[in-house]
Amino acid sequence: AARSLTSLGRVAALRAPATLRAPAKRVVAARAMSKSVVATDKAPAALGPYSQAVRAGDALYVSGQIGLVPGTKDFAGDDVESQTEQVMKNMGEILKAAGADFDAVVKTTILLADMDDFAKVNAIYGARFPNDPPARACFTVKTLPLNAKIEIDAVAYLGD
């Protein structure tokens, strides 16, 4: 009995290497992701049209923090050490307002006015992440807002 071309095509497709087969259809369940703004008066208010942090699903995006004392436009000090301490306090308060802490942070970006401050910043930053520190990038930039010496942003995972 002769086989039809379609039936031969099916047999050939079943015998073809996996890389040549058409991908199987998959059913993907989707759910709407919620987005909400996180704000606290225990950290400086945003200096422009942005939020202190935004929660999107299980992710928290913390905007860049500089060393301002909450409720003022004053830096905690003129040196990078005092500004870094204040940055970490501000970030901690924002994380707390979202129901998290530094253990939830998975990524940070540090912006420095002077790369010579790297070791000083690392000592203060590292104290907040003694175990399993997050992924990180660090850059020197020409100028930071209000001529700050440091700015740090973060991404935290709020699931589990």
Side-chain angles (χ1 to χ4, degrees), residues 5-19:
L5 286 178
T6 14
S7 131
L8 288 174
R10 284 188 200 128
V11 170
L14 290 174
R15 291 184 182 157
T19 55

Side-chain angles (χ1 to χ4, degrees), residues 48-74:
Y50 59 92
S51 301
Q52 288 174 326
V54 173
R55 181 176 182 158
D58 287 338
L60 178 70
Y61 300 91
V62 180
S63 294
Q65 297 299 303
I66 59 176
L68 294 178
V69 175
T72 75
K73 295 273 187 193
D74 300 325

Side-chain angles (χ1 to χ4, degrees), residues 71-140:
T72 75
K73 295 273 187 193
D74 300 325
F75 285 106
D78 292 331
D79 58 291
V80 73
E81 295 93 342
S82 58
Q83 288 188 26
T84 303
E85 284 286 355
Q86 190 63 51
V87 164
M88 300 310 285
K89 286 178 189 173
N90 295 344
M91 187 175 295
E93 291 296 337
I94 294 168
L95 290 166
K96 185 176 175 183
D101 59 25
F102 285 103
D103 288 340
V105 176
V106 296
K107 171 74 168 77
T108 62
T109 304
I110 299 176
L111 305 176
L112 295 171
D114 185 347
M115 193 56 81
D116 289 341
D117 291 332
F118 186 80
K120 296 172 190 171
V121 168
N122 255 353
I124 297 164
Y125 173 95
R128 297 307 198 290
F129 302 107
N131 302 308
D132 301 322
R136 181 178 89 177
C138 183
F139 303 95
T140 300

